Amino acid sequence: VLPEDSESEPVGALLNGTVVCVDENSLAKDAIDDLIRLGIEEAPVIDREGHYLGILRDSALVDRTNVDTTLNALTRAAVMYENETVYDAVVKMAHTRQREIVVVSAERNVIGVLRSIDAIRWLTKARNESR
């Protein structure tokens, strides 16, 4: 049984902290080095207006043959608007078989990345509080 809030709680409410983004004109080598330095597995790639284009994943570390080129082959992660619900986020993760969803504003500016573990923790906490 899902907590009642999961059908109305906006996914944007689960986000906290700062999201690290990569500029679309960054060199792939520089972006990959930044991911390693920061200890993160992926980062949304944005254009100069801050609009979401795709996501750079740590799997890009496997093929370092084109590290001097700009980012041109991006993975598309699932996207949600910040006012969509936590329940919708969990359903979308299940349907797309992705462990994270990029959360954007109405203008499609990246405001965060919701990971499945964050959604699970929230659902567990909300379920325990509703008992």
Side-chain angles (χ1 to χ4, degrees), residues 117-131:
I117 190 67
D118 299 324
I120 291 167
R121 285 181 182 141
W122 183 87
L123 287 168
T124 301
K125 181 181 175 191
R127 183 174 180 208
N128 289 339
E129 289 174 357
S130 67
R131 288 184 176 181

Side-chain angles (χ1 to χ4, degrees), residues 1 9 54 57 83 89 127:
V1 174
E9 182 75 19
R57 297 192 192 285
N83 61 345
R127 183 174 180 208

